[in-house]
Amino acid sequence: MISRPVATIGAAVFIIGATTTLPMPLFTAYAARSGGGAGGLALAFIVYATTLIITAPLLGGLSDRIGRKPCLLAAMVFAFLATTVLTIAPGLPALAVARMFQGLAIGLVAGGATAWAADLAGGPDAGRVAARVTAFATAGSFATGGLATLAVLWLVGEVEPPVTFWIHLAAIALLLPLVARLPDRAPTARVAWLRIPAFPRGTVTTTFGMFAAWGVTGVTLSSVPVALAAMGHPRLGPLAICFMILVGTVMQQAIGTLPARRSSLIGLPILVVGAGMVLLGTLDASVPLLLMGGALVGSAAYGFLFVGALAAASEAAAGGDRARAAAGVFLVAHAGFCVPPLLTGLAVDAFGAPAALSVFWGGTAALCLLLGALLLRAPR
């Protein structure tokens, strides 16, 4: 039985996570309005990952220094500001500012939400219950936010801001006082301000699998919707993206305790095939190809490769270095979320979608082939 305080923290994590995908179906509209094209959209889009990369060493230990509650409350305020900016001035400049606020919110909530939920849950299974609640809230919010806005746009029409933005703002306003009243029992500690990411020996290959994985998801989130919108299908991209995240979330739970090396070896070819299907589906505006490719990309990126990279880092690191090793995985993953989407977006504007997406797929396939060969040669 999940207690009310733990459920409240889970609800707060859900509402914070939803802010990252809530405006996703409107990305192409923002790009068209501001005249930024795929490159401009990619640039505004990756502000989120860049913010996390820059602030992660500082935010990682902040909840230990100032407490869990202040971090979660600040994350909720940043989520509120992100949606407010897009409500007031929808467009690429506002999207860039919103993505910065979203990065700060996720960086703050990642540091202390699960730990606070475990403190409030109590009992021998406190850690497991807290992790299950926050993981479900995070993954569920990523899929739900975009789907909710997409459904509203289909049902109500092109009304901006969509009603989901107002619901999101109201939900944060209602949750803030509930979270503020929760007890914060964890004592503050004088831990180091900076937590530098670490890369234990033998984990570089599995870690760079996440570079490839989140590179594909980043391009799917930025360049693919722009290409589809240019062909007169502005809603196909968001649909494929939501399906990708949803299937990836389910797969993450389904694969369980698969060994790290095997998980990565399974994920790499699935990622290549899925990326190829997404790109072919984009160029042909094919719903079946987009959905099947999105399912494969989600399974690989959020399931096999994500689990494999984190498991390898956790197994190779000792004790207190596990958090730094996990931070190393996320650093490389977010670099993949920045560089390939930006380069591909600029290439789409310069050379067109077919050429740019084909080169991107070729580079992804080559990287995955190299990583697979290195994993097969590595000692078990």
Side-chain angles (χ1 to χ4, degrees):
M1 182 69 178
I2 299 173
S3 66
R4 183 176 296 178
V6 173
T8 302
I9 292 175
V13 172
F14 181 92
I15 213 69
I16 292 166
T19 192
T20 62
T21 58
L22 203 65
M24 186 179 62
L26 295 169
F27 283 175
T28 53
Y30 296 158
R33 185 174 300 138
S34 301
L41 178 57
L43 191 59
F45 178 80
I46 64 174
V47 170
Y48 167 80
T50 306
T51 301
L52 278 174
I53 290 173
I54 294 172
T55 61
L58 285 171
L59 298 182
L62 192 61
S63 69
D64 293 327
R65 293 188 67 97
I66 68 173
R68 321 294 193 200
K69 185 191 294 186
C71 285
L72 191 58
L73 290 173
M76 295 176 72
V77 171
F78 281 127
F80 188 93
L81 290 174
T83 301
T84 300
V85 166
L86 290 172
T87 301
I88 296 172
L92 285 187
L95 180 61
V97 174
R99 295 296 283 175
M100 180 189 68
F101 286 143
Q102 291 164 9
L104 291 170
I106 296 298
L108 283 166
V109 77
T114 302
W116 192 16
D119 293 340
L120 297 180
D125 294 330
R128 183 174 58 83
V129 171
R132 190 175 75 237
V133 169
T134 55
F136 179 79
T138 303
S141 67
F142 287 163
T144 304
L147 282 173
T149 298
L150 193 60
V152 166
L153 292 175
W154 266 332
L155 293 172
V156 180
E158 304 293 327
V159 178
E160 288 191 44
V163 68
T164 49
F165 284 22
W166 299 113
I167 293 173
H168 184 250
L169 293 174
I172 295 176
L174 290 172
L175 272 172
L176 270 170
L178 297 179
V179 173
R181 283 199 287 265
L182 293 177
D184 190 355
R185 300 171 186 149
T188 56
R190 295 188 61 80
V191 297
W193 275 105
L194 289 175
R195 287 189 177 178
I196 306 300
F199 301 93
R201 179 179 299 222
T203 65
V204 172
T205 306
T206 52
T207 296
F208 268 86
M210 283 303 296
F211 182 92
W214 282 24
V216 172
T217 59
V219 170
T220 305
L221 285 163
S222 54
S223 293
V224 165
V226 170
L228 286 166
M231 292 185 285
H233 306 283
R235 299 292 170 245
L236 285 186
L239 179 63
I241 291 165
C242 292
F243 193 66
M244 175 184 75
I245 297 172
L246 191 61
V247 173
T249 302
V250 173
M251 183 58 68
Q252 190 180 109
Q253 303 300 316
I255 62 178
T257 57
L258 196 66
R261 180 174 174 273
R262 187 184 304 171
S263 182
S264 293
L265 282 172
I266 293 172
L268 289 170
I270 293 176
L271 181 70
V272 173
V273 174
M277 293 177 70
V278 167
L279 300 185
L280 284 174
T282 299
L283 298 178
D284 293 338
S286 168
V287 175
L289 276 175
L290 281 168
L291 293 181
M292 287 189 291
L296 290 176
V297 169
S299 298
Y302 297 109
F304 292 107
L305 292 172
F306 184 64
V307 170
L310 283 182
S314 179
E315 291 165 4
D321 283 339
R322 285 178 178 164
R324 294 176 59 227
V329 172
F330 281 102
L331 177 66
V332 172
H334 282 101
F337 214 50
C338 288
V339 179
L342 178 58
L343 294 178
T344 304
L346 293 173
V348 167
D349 289 341
F351 307 108
L357 295 179
S358 297
V359 170
F360 168 73
W361 183 85
T364 300
L367 176 59
C368 289
L369 182 62
L370 173 63
L371 293 175
L374 292 173
L375 279 172
L376 289 171
R377 291 180 57 188
R380 292 180 181 273

